[in-house]
Structure formats: C-alpha cells, structure tokens
Amino acid sequence: MKKNKIPKDRLKKGPLVIIECPEKIPCNPCIDVCPRKAITIKDFLVEIPKIDYNKCTGCLLCIPKCPGLAIFGVHYNYNKMESLLSLPYEFLPRPKKGEKVWGLDHKGKKICKVIVERVIENPNFDRCAIVQIRVKKKYFDKIRMIKL
Ligand code: SF4
Ligand code: SF4
C-alpha cells in the first residue's frame, strides 16, 4: 500500500488527512470534492493521489467520497495523550458516541479497544458516515478500521 509522507511539523500542527490507496486505479472523486484543491494526481494509471499539506485543512469532506475507503483523518495532538482518527464507516448499525469498540489495522488485525468520540452523518455522504475515535498517539498511523 502506498501513502503520502506527512511532514512531521505539519502532523503536529493540526487536522489533516492521509490517503492510503490500496491500488493504482483510475479514480478521482477525492480531487473533485476538495474545496482547497489540495489533492492532485499526476497520472491516473501510475500514481496515487498526492496531498499538498500546506493546503489541506482536515475538513474531512474527501473521506466519505472515496469509494475505496482509503482516506483517513488524523488530528495528532487532539489532547495530551491521544490522537483523533476519522474513519469512513459504511456498516449499519452505526456505533454510538462513547461506545468502546475494537480498533483494527488495515488488514483487520485487532490493535486495541478505542472510544468512539463522534459519528458524523450527512445526506451528501451517501451511505458512508465518518466515525471519530480517540487512540493513543502511537497508534495514529496504525488503526484504520473499527469492529463493534
Ligand atoms: S480534508 Fe478537506 S482540505 Fe484536506 S484534502 Fe480532504 S477535502 Fe481537501
Ligand atoms: S477517491 Fe479514494 S480511491 Fe479514488 S483516487 Fe481518491 S483516494 Fe484513491
């Protein structure tokens, strides 16, 4: 899996998204939806999308628009001990705020229990919600799914 490298100082500055496209596929809804024009792809067939981290505000609009569920929000310094991860979530029922759920890596391996901070629904998101979870900072780049 390919992903963009985030400059360390930018990671600690505020919310952003990480793109982890599993394959190079001709696809571009993430580019069209971004109000800041922060996402670009040089060549659809050979490149994964690139994020300009000087432009990305972490607004999360691109997350539910990605058909590959390959975009994840990270607010690294959410509080002193934890990061806030924003994950795409298509299943029903949705988790509830405050619920304890399993945090899984991108292959579905259990990492640790995490707390659901918020569930964001919007008719423009189609079937996809955004589930925000609090995780220990060391897991910000590891947890990519949840299991109720
Ligand atoms: S989070 Fe918002 S600003 Fe950042 S790439 Fe996605 S749509 Fe653009
Ligand atoms: S919408 Fe998702 S799958 Fe399509 S190019 Fe963007 S990140 Fe990759």
Side-chain angles (χ1 to χ4, degrees), residues 16-17 30 33-39 51 55-63 71:
L16 48 75
V17 291
C30 57
V33 78
C34 179
R36 304 266 305 164
K37 305 280 173 239
I39 308 178
I51 299 185
K55 292 183 181 169
C56 175
T57 58
C59 72
L60 309 180
L61 282 177
C62 50
I63 291 180
I71 307 181

Side-chain angles (χ1 to χ4, degrees), residues 73-87 96-104 111-119 131-141 143 145-146:
V74 177
H75 185 174
Y76 183 78
N77 281 329
Y78 185 60
N79 61 38
K80 210 172 168 195
M81 310 291 289
E82 298 167 310
S83 298
L84 184 75
L85 296 186
S86 300
L87 312 178
K96 292 186 180 61
K97 179 180 164 66
E99 194 173 341
K100 248 190 169 182
V101 297
W102 275 104
L104 315 177
I111 303 297
C112 64
K113 287 268 188 168
V114 296
I115 307 273
V116 175
E117 183 77 344
R118 197 172 294 114
V119 179
V131 174
Q132 295 188 306
I133 54 170
R134 298 197 324 256
V135 305
K136 285 186 185 155
K137 285 182 198 266
K138 66 177 176 180
Y139 293 135
F140 91 89
D141 210 16
I143 293 176
M145 293 184 254
I146 57 162

Side-chain angles (χ1 to χ4, degrees), residues 19 21 25 27-30 41 49 65-68 70-71:
I19 289 184
C21 272
I25 44 170
C27 175
N28 67 356
C30 57
I41 305 181
K65 290 294 170 189
C66 170
I71 307 181

